[in-house]
Amino acid sequence: MTEPTETTVGIGGAAESTDMVLNIGPQHPSTHGVLRLRLVLDGERIQHAEPVIGYMHRGAEKLFEARDYRQIIMLANRHDWLSAFSNELGVVLAVERMLGMEVPTRAVWTRTLLAELNRVLNHLMFLGSYPLELGGITPIFYAFTEREELQHVMEEVSGGRMHYMFNRVGGLKEDLPAGWTTRARDSVASLRSRMDRFDDLVLGNEIFRGRTRGVGVLPPEAVHAYGVSGPIARASGVDFDLRRDEPYLAYGELQDTLKVVTRQEGDCLARFECLLEQTHNALDLADACLDRLAELEPGPINQRLPKVLKAPEGHTYAWTENPLGINGYYLVSKGEKTPYRLKLRSASYNNIQALAVLLPGTLVADMVAILGSLFFVVGDIDK
């Protein structure tokens, strides 16, 4: 008769040293987007983090090659759906540079104005949604109220609510509606008068500060290594802003108004503070643009283009300071009406890679605070 055998499974603290692999996401597209995090945990502490992307990949860069220079604007404004105007801007600037085209002064100042209003719209979304992710529901209602007022202004001028399609190679689609600048100025003033809700309600909240101060510190070395940009990089002390350092549009004439907001702490709180202060400055820049537009003589808003638009053979790179960071387009032309290659460098793609160094060593409970403080749009990651 065979002797019975016994197998002992996991006694004492043996099981506690076993790493656990935890999947966060992928989430449904109706949330912030489809991002998956593969975490290796030791108890409550994250040991390793791997962002897994590509669930929303649409092949936009290949689609660019099958459409002419007028049509690609429609594709370009959708990867960061909160920064549609700014996305369009990079494309038209690249094509205009290839053509050696001068854009009318009125179009330059109007583009700058709309880019800053678009920046405010983008930031308001994150100023409201980030506290929501940490358990504070009130700020999101204020954020959407303020966004709605500004959305009306943008919708009136462009006809689009989120995807404006207002930029054109050579300028803008059409001139501003009669009385629009007055309504825009009123909206900016109204919004500025209520921004203290975020200063007092969020930054003044001890729970919010407790969840964000000293959490998710991103060192400047990691910013440079991963190509992180925008308010996230500046919150870590990396003082770089294309609007000041390589001015485009009318930013060269707005240096007295433009303020590059930086912090040294590099934590979640610093990133939120940069975003909030940058929103205040964007409203100041919008007012400065409105003042300049009021001084301009009536004139054209765009250049007359040929029926078939072809960029000359060559290549160029146009980058802009989008709300979430550096957005770049590398355009290669073979002299045809469609791009031979149009490579997109999006802000969120680089910014999200920093999670690989931000999350290890932190607690699972702090993961949401860190993830939310990177202010990303998943379409901007997957392109």
Side-chain angles (χ1 to χ4, degrees), residues 198-209:
F198 299 98
D199 293 288
D200 301 335
L201 185 66
V202 182
L203 283 182
N205 186 289
E206 60 181 83
I207 298 175
F208 178 82
R209 299 183 77 87

Side-chain angles (χ1 to χ4, degrees), residues 15-24 37-50 359-367:
E16 294 179 9
S17 63
T18 305
D19 290 339
M20 174 190 291
V21 178
L22 181 66
N23 277 294
I24 306 296
L37 292 177
R38 186 179 181 274
L39 307 179
V40 178
L41 307 180
D42 182 4
E44 286 290 313
R45 201 163 292 278
I46 298 171
Q47 297 297 317
H48 176 76
E50 178 190 359
L359 289 178
T362 63
L363 296 171
V364 175
D366 290 329
M367 181 203 63

